[in-house]
């Protein structure tokens, strides 16, 4: 059997900068990119559209299995995400979608339903996968596993700026509370909780520029 394409797994809590770093690293290496959080956000969004309640585990798993989604980019290289033919690129980044994602993500049947869809992203020449359980569950034999963190204050500030840049208005205090709640839910859930893989390297991005963090990841990849 042909050797599988290498995976760089980048896990960590909300606002740690995973999304930005994963995108930069994928661009630098010419690798594919998996934004696994988007799949949980899309599941929550699709459930809301179809009137499936957030406590209906079977219904949510069915929604996850049937997700009709397309990942794309616009001319400026910005992300474009389509759900059932509609552009939901901005809608899935709202805190509401994030909280819904964190809720559906605690349901084992939903995680199971999304597993193969995520693994299908592993294609040559390689994949950068961003999430909470990339190194522990989805790609346990990833070539490089990184757990990216930052202080809670810095994560709230970054998220605030990111949302503002997208034209979404939300208070920093409310955002800090949301992030704390979400961290707690993601860390304490019984299935695939947020934690570093045993063989992950921890990278604290507090006070570091995007360029510096990207370079550290690329240096670790080059050590392979
Ligand atoms: O990375 P994000 O903020 O887009 O993720 C949204 C939620 O989805 C997050 O709070 C927890 C969940 N998630 C998960 O459980 N497992 C992943 N691999 C990615 C995200």
């Amino acid at each position: 059997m042909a050797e599988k394409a290498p995976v760089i797994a980048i896990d960590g809590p909300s606002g740690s900068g995973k999304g930005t770093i994963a995108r930069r690293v994928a661009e630098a290496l010419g690798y594919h990119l998996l934004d696994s959080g988007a799949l949980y956000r899309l599941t929550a969004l699709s459930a809301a559209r179809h009137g499936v309640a957030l406590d209906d585990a079977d219904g949510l798993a069915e929604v996850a299995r049937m997700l009709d989604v397309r990942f794309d980019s616009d001319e400026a290289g910005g992300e474009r995400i389509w759900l059932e033919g509609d552009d939901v690129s901005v809608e899935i980044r709202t805190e509401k979608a994030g909280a819904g994602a964190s809720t559906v993500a605690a349901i084992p049947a939903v995680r199971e339903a999304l597993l193969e869809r995520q693994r299908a992203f592993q294609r040559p020449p390689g994949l950068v996968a961003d999430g909470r359980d990339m190194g522990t569950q989805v790609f346990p034999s990833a070539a490089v596993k990184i757990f990216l963190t930052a202080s809670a204050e810095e994560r709230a500030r970054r998220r605030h700026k990111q949302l503002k840049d997208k034209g979404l208005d939300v208070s920093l205090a409310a955002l800090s509370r949301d992030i704390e709640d979400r961290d707690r839910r993601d860390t304490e859930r019984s299935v695939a909780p947020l934690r570093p893989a045993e063989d992950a390297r921890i990278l604290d991005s507090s006070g570091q520029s995007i360029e510096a963090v990207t370079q550290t990841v690329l240096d670790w990849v080059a050590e392979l």
Side-chain angles (χ1 to χ4, degrees):
M1 203 173 87
E3 207 176 302
K4 281 216 162 177
V7 175
I8 317 295
I10 305 184
D11 290 306
S14 306
S16 58
K18 281 174 295 133
T20 308
I21 301 301
R23 185 170 294 273
R24 295 281 186 109
V25 170
E27 272 165 17
L29 297 171
Y31 279 14
H32 299 283
L33 179 67
L34 166 61
D35 170 3
S36 61
L39 293 174
Y40 291 96
R41 287 170 182 264
L42 287 159
T43 300
L45 215 64
S46 180
R49 282 184 169 199
H50 297 288
V52 176
L54 289 183
D55 59 359
D56 174 0
D58 292 342
L60 291 169
E62 182 65 12
V63 167
R65 254 190 308 277
M66 302 301 292
L67 265 191
D68 168 14
V69 17
R70 191 159 59 84
F71 292 94
D72 206 353
S73 52
D74 60 24
E75 280 152 23
E79 82 173 2
R80 282 275 163 266
I81 300 182
W82 304 84
L83 175 65
E84 295 158 8
D86 298 325
D87 183 348
V88 294
S89 317
V90 173
E91 197 181 348
I92 67 156
R93 296 302 163 201
T94 60
E95 283 305 290
K96 186 164 176 270
S102 162
T103 304
V104 303
I107 299 172
V110 169
R111 305 198 72 85
E112 180 64 33
L114 291 176
L115 201 53
E116 284 315 312
R117 194 186 280 264
Q118 295 176 80
R119 289 186 175 150
F121 278 76
Q122 183 177 9
R123 294 191 306 269
L127 174 69
V128 180
D130 142 25
R132 303 291 189 291
D133 62 342
M134 299 296 99
T136 53
Q137 308 285 335
V138 183
F139 301 108
S141 52
V144 178
K145 297 182 186 177
I146 293 163
F147 194 82
L148 192 62
T149 69
S151 68
E153 301 76 51
E154 183 146 344
R155 291 192 282 122
R157 266 199 311 276
R158 285 182 190 163
R159 199 67 166 205
H160 189 241
K161 179 173 181 307
Q162 217 174 36
L163 292 173
K164 253 179 108 171
D165 290 348
K166 289 205 171 209
L168 296 165
D169 191 22
V170 49
S171 87
L172 188 57
L175 208 52
S176 298
R177 274 196 307 276
D178 282 355
I179 285 190
E180 253 174 53
D181 286 351
R182 197 125 67 88
D183 280 356
R184 197 172 320 110
R185 230 180 354 243
D186 294 346
T187 312
E188 292 176 359
R189 68 181 177 220
S190 58
V191 55
L194 171 64
R195 61 171 173 78
E198 272 172 25
D199 48 350
R201 297 178 79 158
I202 312 286
L203 178 48
D204 187 342
S205 67
S206 307
Q208 290 203 54
S209 68
I210 291 170
E211 288 72 24
V213 178
T214 305
Q215 193 53 53
T216 301
V217 175
L218 290 173
D219 290 345
W220 287 350
V221 173
E223 285 173 13
L224 279 181

